Structures are given as structure tokens and as C-alpha cells.
Amino acid sequence: MYKYLLCWKYLRGRYIALASVVSVMLGVATLIVVNAVMAGFATKMRSRLHGFLSDIVVMSYDRNGFANADEVTARIRQIAGDDVEAMAGTMETYAILRFYVGGSEVTKEVKLIGVKPEERAKTGDFAEFLFDENDRPAPASFEVSEELRKKTSPAAGVLGENMDDDILNQALRKQALDDVPPRGAILGYAMATARDPEKHRDEYLAPRGTKVMLVFARASKRPEPATDEFTVVSFFKSGMSEYDSSIVFVPLERLQFMLGIGDGEGRGAVNQIHIKLKPGSKADLNVLARKIQRGLERLRPLYFKVATWEEMQGPLLAAVSIEQDILNMLLFFIIAVAGFGILAIFSMIVVEKTRDIGVLKALGASTTGVGGIFLGYGLALGIVGAGTGLAGGLLFVKYINKIEDALSALTGQRVFNPDIYYFSEIPTRVEPLTVAWVFCGALLIAVLASVWPAIRAARLRPVEALRYE
Amino acid sequence: MNNSHISRIDALETKSSTPRGKRSMTAHLSARGLAKSYRKGKTEVPVLKGVDLAVDRGELVAVMGASGSGKSTLLHVLGLLDSPDRGAVDLDGGRIDDLGDRKRDALRNQTFGFIFQFYHLLPELSALDNVLMPLLIRHGPIGYMAARRTYRRRAEALLDRVGLAGRRTHKPAELSGGEMQRAAVARALVGEPEIVLADEPTGNLDAANGRAILELLRDLNRERELTMMLVTHDSQIASRADRVVRLVEGRIEEFSAAPEGSDFAASRL
């Protein structure tokens, strides 16, 4: 019984020992916050990647794609029909984007993706990532609205309702068509904007209505350049800078036509098919992907490559996971350092308590009992440190955005710049298992650190301890 | 545990010296040829060089001697705080110095009560909790909680008895030297021991307080039939004992009955 009484009294009366657990507390809090934020980022990133990529993607090694897309989708349905929710064929190629800002030309290399917007929206988060200049959601469509045309082209504005087919109107119509091509394009947000370093704001270089020219290689034995003009109708803002700075969406039929791989009636080649599985599907993505791969091999050997969304972004996801592991390992050293702090302070307390230990032994306390006092004390300090760290860490995570606001207001500089990450706030995700691990790890270290002082205390011979005046 | 050592009683009877020559019963606590030395650096300093001593039940023995004569060491060895290099300690005729740690711990807790020169109260605990410490050590949480009212009453009664009725909740730092020693006396008695070993209990107190503590010990010795050994180098104090033994150079040199005219001694004889 005396062990508990003394642990309790030491815990309440000795603030120096409580100070030693501040490092445990900080270590635990840091680990919890860092893990929560990293898990938040990773989860958000995964959901964005996943959202954009659908579940399984069938690609052709041939850039010019396959014209028998119907046959391929039919085969896929045959293989995995029960699990497939929707499929969308897309054509991906590389292109050079050109447009004018003021008098000067802007040129960028881009990934050009021809899609059917309604189809593509069913296979993943496509429509969700489309915005206009004011960050309002934009429809998943390439249609150039009359309103936009009138706003952008003076000729179209003059043209108005007057449909007389006289010379003037013909000229105006031609001019309007020239100003605002009738085909829409969706530009990656980072491509269409430039950062104003002073205002910390993105300024639009290519607002909606801007005419952009795309130069790409025609699909033929000896590729030759083709050009086409589009009107910017909306912006693609997924939050993944890799996508937002390189992707341009254009209507699939038009791209097929320009590449020379379409028949102009909606049937043309695609080089990717995105497959989205039914929401309740329990199929293992990897198993299903391999099954589709085998099925398509029979259709056309060594032509198709089937990958899950995770495989397509494998290196990135692996890098994030490794980063988190390494960070955890490094941060755990903080708690290990705290352990040595406890060891040092406990050793001092044992020296200071030598006489008391002698008294306890003289009164009949056993060796294990005296050792138990200090082990229990270590455990109690560990619980206090890890407990307050846990509570502090979780509170910090909960109010992390408010804290960030306060810090920003205090320093006059944004700590977490939402423009860089495209997150309106810091994403967090508390994983109970991680929290439990951190807590138990900290307890273990606190107990381990008190083992040596406890053994030393227990081994003190009462006479030697009592002689210690 | 003493029964197992009964066979040794005969050996003890022949070996142990009985100075007054009138005891026929086994001594309560006795030492046979105790030797103990300490290491100081590389040299070995012998402290006890073969001490033979027997203390009867209910006897109050004062151990006197110059500083460094081994008084405290003798007390520590007798009270199982230390082990002898040679020789044996017997309790009721059964050897106890070679027992295992658990049994020695139990004997210290239940049979012996210790009083130290520097009181040695635990600074974090109140006077009452300090007094309760031997009982806290004796029992686990369940056993203690079951009997805590009885124990508390017993400890409070002891504090009342030593004159600390109003000081129960005070920490040692808030008590005077005399009060701390009174609390220490109460602590030594709370476990209802048979033998009280006091190492210069008045050595750190002024004359008045020292006398008061001594009176208290003497009274308790009589009230409770306690066997007491009292180490002191104050002959004034020793004069109140039933018997005085003197340690000179690690041996018991002389035995003397309490001086003539000692009222305590007279009352015993």
C-alpha cells in the first residue's frame, strides 16, 4: 500500500519531476499533431488522386490508341461487369499551348486530354474540379455560351439578335467566330494563372473566353504538326499541382478529328479507358486489374496495360508513406530524449531519497517494493506526460486552423498558405491506432527510463542508506 | 519461524553469557560472537570483534561506548538492517540473521521497531501517515483498506499517547525536533513490535526534550512489556536503564546493573 501512497505523494509534491515529463508531453503532442496533419494531407492527396484517376485505367502502349474502343469496353464489361459502374474513353497526347496576354505570347507544354465530359464525370471527380474565375463551380461541358461569346468578342456583341444575312452580319459573324472559336477547352488552373507576389493572389492570364492555340502531332506514321483553336470555358483545379499545371481538356471528338483518328461521328480511337467500380463493390482492385489484363491479352496481346489508380501514382504514394515513417522515427527520438531526462532526474531523486529508502527498508519494505515505488512513479509520470501530451495534441489538431489564423495575425505572415496547397484549411486526420501507439510508446519509454534508478534504489542496503546524512 | 530453530536453544544456553546469572529462560534477543568490519578504501576496519550479548524479554538495556566503538553497528546487526561477518543473532533462541530477505523484511516490520537519532520521518507525509507507514508496508492495498479504520485509530491513539494529539496532519518540517522524535516513537510502536531498537534517540535533542523522550520510552517499556535496546553515550540517560553494557573496541567490556539509587532500576528489582 505504501507504494501507491508514496507514488501519489511524490507525484503531487515534486514539481521538478513533473518538469521532466514536459518533454514527454511535448514529444507525444508533436507526434500526434504531425501524424494527424500528415495523414490528413495523405488522405486528401489520395482522395484527389483517386478522384481524378477513377479506379482502374486501361491504357494502350500505342499513343495513337485503339479504334475498337467499343469492343474493349464490351470485353471489360464481360470480365468485370458486375463491378463496373461506368467507363470513359479518353485520348491523351502532348501538345504546345499558346495564347496572348496583352501583346506577348505565352507558350506552355501541356498534356492534352480529349474527353466526353458527361462520360468522364461519371468515372471520377471531374466535374467537381471545374471552376470559373470566381471559384464558382462550372458545368462539365465544352459549350461556349452565347453570353461568353458576347462578353469576349466585340463583333458578337454588335451582332446581337439581328439575323439578317447581309454582308455586314456575315463579316461580323466571321469576326466573332475568329475571336471566339466555338469549341471549348478546360485549362489547368495553374496554367491559366500567374501569382502576384505582392498581393499574394493569383491573377488570370487566360480568363474565360481567351482564345488558345494548341499544336500537336497528328497520328500518322510520320507525325506532322496540327494546330487547332479553342476558347477557354472553365478551369480545372484539382489541388494536385502536377495536374493543374499541365492538363488541358478538349472535346474528344474534335481531338480525334484533328489527330486524324476519328470518323467524325463519335467513333474514334482512344488510348485510355477509365473504369469506375460500383460504390458497394467488394472486388479487390489489384485482382480485378489483373483479371482485366488477362482478358484483354486475349483480345490483343502485348497491347494493353491495366493499372489501378494506386499503381499509376505508386511512387508518389510510396514516397508519402516513407516520409511519414521516417518522420515518425525521428520524432520518436524526442520521446527517447525525454526518457533520458527522466533517467537523469530519477537518478537524482534516488540519491536525494536515499535516506528515506533506508527508513522504508528499516521499517520492513522489501527490495521489490522499493523498486516498485520508482517504477510506479515512472509509470505515473509517463501517464501524466503522455496523457497531457495526448490531450494537448488532440486539442491542437482540433483547433489547428484557428491556431494558424492566430499565428498568422500575430506574425503578419500566413503560416499555412492555402494558395500553395490549394487547401482552404490544414487537413487533419486522427488515426486512433497511431495515437494509441504513440501513447503506449511514451509510457514504455517512461517506465524503461525509471528501471535503472529503481534497481539502484532497490539495491540500496538500509544501513548504507541510513548512514547517508 | 522461531520453532524451527528450537534445536539450537541448547547450544545458545551454553554459549551465551548471562551476566546476572539468574536467568533460566531463553533470552529474548541475543548475539553470539558477532563480528563485523567495514571497508574504508583498501583497509578493512573491524568494528565488532566478537560480541556476545543477551537481552531478556521486557528488559531495557543501554549500550554505551565511545564514538566509533560499534554501538550503532551492533544495533543494526541485531535489528537485521545489516548482516554480521561472523556470529549469529537469535530471537527467542532461533537464529534470524541468516534468514531469507522476505523473512528478514517481515521481522523488521513486525518484530522490531526502530528509532533513529535523526528521527528519519518521511518529509512528504503527515505525522499520522508517517506513524502508519509500518502498517502500510505490512499490508497490500486491499488488506490495508479493509482495516484502515482500526489502524488509523491505533495510530491516532499512539500520537495522543506521545503527546502529539494536535499535530496529526503536520508535516515533519512543521514539527520541532522533540515532536519529530515523538512521532518516530509512535511509528516504532504502531506495528506492535516486541523489541524496540533506539539509536541515540535523544542525541539530537536538548536536555529537556531528551529527558521527556527517555521518560516516554521508559514508560512504554513498562506499559507494553517491550524489550528495548538503547544506544547512547550519555551516562545520565544510561542510568535509567535496567542494565548498561559498554562496547570497547568492538567487544562488550563490562556489564553493570543500573547504578544504585536509580528509581527505575529499583522498581524493576
Side-chain angles (χ1 to χ4, degrees), chain B residues 226-246:
Chain B
L226 284 169
T227 305
M228 278 194 186
M229 275 188 81
L230 208 144
V231 164
T232 180
H233 51 243
D234 183 347
S235 55
Q236 194 72 28
I237 287 164
S239 68
R240 308 278 177 101
D242 295 333
R243 185 155 62 97
V244 178
V245 299
R246 200 171 291 273

Side-chain angles (χ1 to χ4, degrees), chain B residues 39-68:
Chain B
R39 255 174 204 295
K40 254 188 187 163
K42 284 187 177 174
T43 54
E44 208 158 81
V45 183
V47 184
L48 302 179
K49 298 173 184 168
V51 171
D52 293 304
L53 176 68
V55 181
D56 284 337
R57 192 173 283 275
E59 198 178 15
L60 198 165
V61 175
V63 181
M64 290 194 68
S67 298

Side-chain angles (χ1 to χ4, degrees), chain A residues 158-170:
Chain A
V158 174
L159 196 60
E161 302 285 312
N162 187 350
M163 297 305 281
D164 289 347
D165 201 18
D166 55 19
I167 280 231
L168 179 65
N169 274 351
Q170 279 177 17

Side-chain angles (χ1 to χ4, degrees), chain A residues 142-209:
Chain A
F142 290 114
E143 195 197 326
V144 181
S145 67
E146 199 60 34
E147 181 200 355
L148 186 64
R149 176 171 295 135
K150 277 183 187 157
K151 207 177 84 187
T152 318
S153 166
V158 174
L159 196 60
E161 302 285 312
N162 187 350
M163 297 305 281
D164 289 347
D165 201 18
D166 55 19
I167 280 231
L168 179 65
N169 274 351
Q170 279 177 17
L172 282 172
R173 203 167 282 129
K174 189 167 178 302
Q175 180 63 40
L177 207 63
D178 195 41
D179 287 343
V180 184
R183 298 165 297 275
I186 299 169
L187 245 60
Y189 174 80
M191 247 184 307
T193 57
R195 188 123 190 102
D196 185 331
E198 276 171 17
K199 290 189 206 151
H200 297 289
R201 218 150 55 86
D202 292 325
E203 298 290 346
Y204 279 86
L205 300 176
R208 290 189 313 142

Side-chain angles (χ1 to χ4, degrees), chain A residues 353 355 361 363 461 463, chain B residues 81-82 108-109 120 124:
Chain A
K353 289 275 159 217
R355 208 199 58 190
K361 287 199 151 181
L363 297 180
R461 297 196 19 243
V463 175
Chain B
L81 290 177
D82 211 347
R108 277 205 298 273
N109 183 255
H120 288 342
E124 285 85 3

Side-chain angles (χ1 to χ4, degrees), chain B residues 136-185:
Chain B
L136 286 163
I137 289 172
R138 191 176 300 176
H139 301 285
I142 297 166
Y144 180 80
M145 291 316 270
R148 70 183 186 285
R149 294 235 168 83
T150 322
Y151 291 156
R152 220 184 143 82
R153 271 202 299 278
R154 195 197 289 175
E156 283 171 355
L158 270 168
L159 276 174
D160 293 353
R161 173 67 187 80
V162 299
L164 288 180
R167 300 287 201 169
R168 285 171 192 166
T169 56
H170 288 57
K171 296 267 170 70
E174 299 159 345
L175 299 174
S176 70
E179 286 171 329
M180 280 195 270
Q181 196 59 301
R182 285 161 193 273
V185 170

Side-chain angles (χ1 to χ4, degrees), chain A residues 48 53 61-62 80 145-146 167 250 282 287 289 307 315 359 385 412 423:
Chain A
R48 283 179 176 185
L53 280 175
Y61 285 109
D62 176 6
S145 67
E146 199 60 34
I167 280 231
V250 293
K282 287 187 186 69
V287 173
V359 174
F423 295 139

Side-chain angles (χ1 to χ4, degrees), chain A residues 174-240:
Chain A
K174 189 167 178 302
Q175 180 63 40
L177 207 63
D178 195 41
D179 287 343
V180 184
R183 298 165 297 275
I186 299 169
L187 245 60
Y189 174 80
M191 247 184 307
T193 57
R195 188 123 190 102
D196 185 331
E198 276 171 17
K199 290 189 206 151
H200 297 289
R201 218 150 55 86
D202 292 325
E203 298 290 346
Y204 279 86
L205 300 176
R208 290 189 313 142
T210 306
K211 183 169 79 172
V212 295
M213 185 199 273
L214 286 159
V215 184
F216 44 85
R218 234 181 247 283
S220 54
K221 288 268 179 205
R222 296 171 83 191
E224 52 194 61
T227 60
D228 200 3
E229 288 176 342
F230 296 89
T231 303
V232 177
V233 292
S234 61
F235 306 98
F236 180 75
K237 189 176 175 182
S238 69
M240 297 297 304

